[in-house]
Structures are given as structure tokens and as C-alpha cells.
Amino acid sequence: MLDVATKEFDIELRLLLEALYLKYHYDFRGYALSSLTRRLAQAADHFGCATLSQLQDRVLHEPTLFPVLLDYLTVQVSELFRDPSYFRGLREHVVPVLHTYPSLKVWVAGCSTGEEAWSLAILLREEGLLERTLIYATDINPTALQSAEAGVYAVDRVASFTQNHQLSGARTSLSDYYTAAYGGAVFDRSLKSHIVFSDHSLATDSVFAEVQLLSCRNVLIYFNRDLQERALGLFAESLCHKGFLGLGARESLRFSSHEASFTPVVPEDRLYQKR
Amino acid sequence: MPTPHRPSAPPAGRVDAIVLGTSAGGVEALTHLLPTLPHDFRPALLIVVHLPRHLPSLLVEVFSVRCRLPVHEAADKQPIQPGTVYFAPPNHHLLVDRDARGPSLALSADAPVHFSRPAIDVLFESAAAGYGKRLGGVILTGANADGALGLQAVKRRGGVTLVQEPSTARAPTMPQAALAAGEVDFVLPLEQMPAVLRAWGDGGAI
């Protein structure tokens, strides 16, 4: 793998981000450089580029390369009901409040390949809320959104999904929600009619709906402080009064100016409520 | 006229941070090492210990009562304070980010490296990029090769490196791999490390 601990790498990294923005209008300039560095080094390795300058040359002149690079930069491998205690926290502390709304909107920001959106759809169906709910699942990567929308996951992942689902306080069996076919588990179409998958960038787009619950886990850790502030500002704007925000297991509002806009509901599961 | 600097003497306050990686036998080794650091130890200490993924880490509880330095579990976007010990949290990589506000901690949920998350190489490489020559890297006992490449990254950027003498390590594989990967500045048993670490911090003669 190429040497990331050089001054030249730092320079080339900044130039490449600028090039991606100018050519493809994807803005990674506000991402945390530490993680970008690793991911770009892996991408350069994959394309056989000895430097980021070489990678920049190719991605500017070979547009077919860009979607692959985008996968390196954005895709998160997740699980259904990842961090089961988060979903238990939702059932215990958020669902009772959601029952008081006649209709619900939920935003899964940075949904990647869709695991979180499908998990929430299943949870809301189990809790008798899905019929009144519309889930917006957004991401910047069109390929990831296509996979998310397809809702097909490799069968060998289903055992851990099932275990997570049980630990989340499941009221039903996960197998009620998928059919196995061609080595994949295909999630239920009746769940999908409540999910809208859509392109949205936390770096460049604005708020599009008022929501009662917003789940954005393991996305903000990849942003620098300024971009994290922007995203949290969008979340505060999008959430209704007393709306709920869920973050990743190691994300918090601690170093953000938006901390005062939220009250912790279940601090250990990073569930907050807008003041 | 200022006194000319002796080229062999380390510059005052040679490092601002020390990264340390260990796995099998690491908690025991750290119980010998960390409590010896004085309350006025200046560098920040960023530590990766390979731990089971889904169990809460007890490292902060274990070491905060034994150490004279403040001990924290690393949090994302936390500014790095001098004289403070930070442990990587379970199931996340720990990295260093640096911007106009100074160095801060960063976490990532990216794929494991060497089957480990946190991985030592990930911390060391990002710290090397962030701190350059003002970084010390330390590899202690462990049963795999994680950290070997990272330690070389520290060295390439001008940082100073230290590996536990393998014959004194509970599990020699990790120190051996670190030594096999390239030149290392110090190879020492645990007992001799505190003096070296203190010297890195205050720039005194080693």
C-alpha cells in the first residue's frame, strides 16, 4: 500500500478532493482526513496507482472509475439491527411517544446499503407503527442506494442479523420479513412501500421534510468538525419539536455547538430528543 | 549569541504524543508501565490494546486508579490534551486528525485490519501523518504482527520508536514483527522504558 505518512500525500489528497468536487460535484473536502487517507490509499492500491496524483489523473479522464472510487469513499458495511441495544432503546423510550402522532416521518441519513432503513421498517411494523410511517433513506452513493432499495442481503449474513434482531427486543421472527432465493435473503415488499430511497448530501443539500425520528449512525465520525456542525444543524432543523435523534455508538454531541439543542434520552445508546 | 545546538541531543520536549500498541499480555505490561509516569508527564499517550469486540472495555477503570495521569476512553472529535492517556474504544479504530484547532482524536467503524478493530497500524499511520517527528511509537507484547508497518511509518516521518525486548515479552510475536520490519531506535525491557518515555517528553538526555 502506498505511504500515507508523507507531506506529498497530504498535498495530493487535498488536490484530489478538489478535483472530485470540480468534476463530479461530490464534496469530500469536509470529511475527516484521517479516515479518507486510509480509504484513498486502499483505492489507489486497488487501481494499481502508486500515488494519489496518478489516481487523480485516472479518475478525471476515466469517468467509469468514479463509481468504484465512490464506493471506497462512502460504503459502510453494516448489519440489520446493528448495536441491538440501540433498537431496544428505541422500543422502550421512543416508540411510546411515536404512538401519539397520527402520521410519522423518519429519516435515515447516510443509509449506505440500507440495513438501518430495513431494520427500522421491521421494528416499526412490530410496534404497530409502520402503516402510518414514511421512511426517507438517503445517501450520496447511487450504487449503494440501488442495493438498499433492492433489499437483498447475502444469506450468510442472516444468522447475525437474526441474533441482533432477537437482542433488540423482537416481537416476531426475522424470517417473517424475508424470503430466501438465489443465495440471498430478499426483504418483504410490503415493508418497502413505506421506504423512499433518495439521493441527498449532508455536505451540500438542505432539509427536505419535518421528521419525528432521525437515525444517522456512523456517518458523522467520518466528517470533520465543520461538516459535522452542518449536518447536525440540518438535523435540528428537520426534527419536529421533541423529535428524536439517534447517533452511532461512539458519536456524541459533546464537541458540538448543537449540544444545547438536544436532551439525552438514553445516553449510552446515543438517543437524544430535540428541546 | 545562542548556544549552538548539539546535534546528538534531542530537542527540548522532543515529542508531543506517544502512540502505543499491544495485544496478548498487554494489560499486564501496561500495569507495570503506566503507573510509573509522573503527574507532569507532558506528551499525550494514545493506546490501542486488542480486546474482545463486543465487551465493554474496563481499561479506563483499571488504569485511572493506578495512574497519576488522567485516563480516558477516546471519543470522536475530542481535542488531544497533553499529559493525558487515551484508550481506543472497543470495535472502533482510533486515528488522529489535525486541523487549525490542533490535533484531535477520530474514530472509525471501517473494516478490521489484521482482524483487529482497533488496529495498531491504523493509529500509528494516522498519528505519524499528524505529528511527524514530534511522535514516539511503542510496541509491547502481542501475538500478531499488527503495528509493525505503523511503527515504520512513525520512523519514516522522523518520529522516535521503541520496541519491547522480545525475550521479555509475554507474547514475543508483535515485538519481533516490529523489529523485522525495519530499524527501531530502542529495544528495551519494560523496566527501562519509563526513563526513556520521560526523556522523550521533556527532551532530557536519554
Side-chain angles (χ1 to χ4, degrees):
Chain A
M1 198 146 95
L2 75 166
D3 188 358
V4 302
T6 67
K7 286 220 156 46
E8 293 73 21
F9 185 96
D10 295 347
I11 295 167
E12 291 173 305
L13 171 58
R14 281 160 213 277
L15 293 173
L16 174 58
L17 299 184
E18 206 63 43
L20 293 180
Y21 181 64
L22 293 173
K23 168 100 183 183
Y24 297 102
H25 313 293
Y26 276 83
D27 194 354
F28 290 102
R29 295 173 301 177
Y31 276 51
L33 292 178
S34 49
S35 286
L36 265 187
T37 293
R38 286 202 68 78
R39 287 166 168 235
L40 282 171
Q42 285 162 356
D45 218 36
H46 169 82
F47 291 117
C49 298
T51 64
L52 288 192
S53 300
Q54 287 178 15
L55 181 61
Q56 178 180 322
D57 184 20
R58 289 194 55 193
V59 76
L60 281 178
H61 300 287
E62 299 172 41
T64 53
L65 220 90
F66 181 67
V68 186
L69 181 60
L70 194 58
D71 280 353
Y72 273 95
L73 292 178
T74 62
V75 170
Q76 279 306 319
V77 177
S78 187
E79 296 164 15
L80 258 70
F81 294 93
R82 177 184 190 160
D83 305 320
S85 70
Y86 173 78
F87 292 92
R88 268 206 315 278
L90 284 178
R91 289 183 202 271
E92 286 166 22
H93 300 276
V94 176
V95 161
V97 181
L98 297 185
H99 270 290
T100 66
Y101 294 100
S103 75
L104 288 171
K105 283 179 179 160
V106 174
W107 181 9
V108 180
C111 71
S112 195
T113 45
E115 289 86 343
E116 182 91 352
W118 289 98
S119 304
L120 283 172
I122 292 166
L123 182 146
L124 292 169
R125 170 146 295 162
E126 287 181 319
E127 302 294 339
L129 285 167
L130 189 64
E131 299 316 309
R132 67 178 89 165
T133 302
L134 188 58
I135 299 172
Y136 298 103
T138 64
D139 202 86
I140 58 170
N141 183 333
T143 322
L145 278 170
Q146 274 172 19
S147 312
E149 187 155 14
V152 182
Y153 300 100
V155 155
D156 58 9
R157 300 175 66 195
V158 169
S160 75
F161 292 176
T162 303
Q163 190 186 14
N164 286 349
H165 176 237
Q166 287 304 315
L167 291 170
S168 82
R171 297 175 190 277
T172 56
S173 163
L174 190 66
S175 59
D176 297 348
Y177 302 98
Y178 66 84
T179 45
Y182 309 108
V186 186
F187 278 81
D188 199 305
R189 301 297 94 182
S190 75
L191 298 172
K192 195 175 137 185
S193 61
H194 294 274
I195 314 176
V196 176
F197 294 91
S198 171
D199 175 73
H200 181 273
S201 163
L202 296 171
T204 53
D205 293 330
S206 49
V207 165
F208 57 86
E210 185 182 73
V211 301
Q212 285 75 40
L213 168 62
L214 201 165
S215 195
C216 181
R217 300 199 302 146
N218 296 317
V219 175
L220 298 184
I221 46 174
Y222 296 105
F223 293 176
N224 70 18
R225 270 178 278 193
D226 294 336
L227 182 52
Q228 179 180 291
E229 285 294 290
R230 183 188 198 277
L232 286 170
L234 293 184
F235 297 168
E237 203 183 324
S238 178
L239 282 166
C240 68
H241 178 61
K242 300 283 184 191
F244 292 94
L245 172 66
L247 299 177
R250 298 287 164 177
E251 292 169 327
S252 80
L253 300 172
R254 235 175 94 197
F255 304 105
S256 160
S257 68
H258 294 283
E259 185 173 15
S261 312
F262 293 90
T263 320
V265 178
V266 192
E268 63 276 19
D269 288 317
R270 304 303 197 260
L271 278 168
Y272 300 88
Q273 189 167 27
K274 190 174 143 189
R275 282 185 202 273
Chain B
M1 193 167 152
T3 325
H5 207 68
R6 257 197 312 137
S8 60
R14 164 153 197 187
V15 306
D16 294 328
I18 295 170
V19 287
L20 189 153
T22 184
S23 121
V27 174
E28 187 194 348
L30 288 173
T31 55
H32 290 295
L33 188 59
L34 295 184
T36 65
L37 298 174
H39 67 90
D40 59 353
F41 189 70
R42 210 186 40 83
L45 209 53
L46 316 183
I47 304 180
V48 165
V49 184
H50 291 165
L51 286 174
R53 187 158 298 167
H54 294 295
L55 298 178
S57 165
L58 297 172
L59 291 169
V60 173
E61 285 87 334
V62 167
F63 286 102
S64 49
V65 294
R66 289 181 166 83
C67 291
R68 278 166 278 192
L69 301 170
V71 179
H72 299 293
E73 187 168 85
D76 190 51
K77 312 270 186 286
Q78 188 171 23
I80 298 174
Q81 301 291 339
T84 306
V85 179
Y86 300 97
F87 281 104
N91 211 16
H92 287 72
H93 292 301
L94 172 61
L95 303 97
V96 173
D97 257 321
R98 185 185 277 273
D99 60 22
R101 301 178 185 94
S104 59
L105 301 172
L107 301 179
S108 118
D110 282 358
V113 176
H114 305 288
F115 308 101
S116 298
R117 188 171 60 195
I120 300 166
D121 280 343
V122 173
L123 170 63
F124 279 33
E125 282 167 13
S126 77
Y131 282 101
K133 64 182 185 203
R134 300 195 60 80
L135 180 72
V138 181
I139 294 289
L140 302 181
T141 169
N144 70 8
D146 189 16
L149 295 175
L151 198 70
Q152 285 309 305
V154 174
K155 181 86 181 149
R156 271 197 310 279
R157 273 272 174 125
V160 60
T161 54
L162 163 61
V163 170
Q164 183 175 7
E165 162 63 52
S167 65
T168 68
R170 167 73 69 87
T173 310
M174 189 174 279
Q176 279 164 350
L179 292 173
E183 195 195 331
V184 168
D185 296 307
F186 298 89
V187 184
L188 298 171
L190 280 177
E191 308 83 75
Q192 292 178 29
M193 288 185 193
V196 172
L197 297 186
R198 281 202 297 270
W200 287 0
D202 54 27
I206 296 168

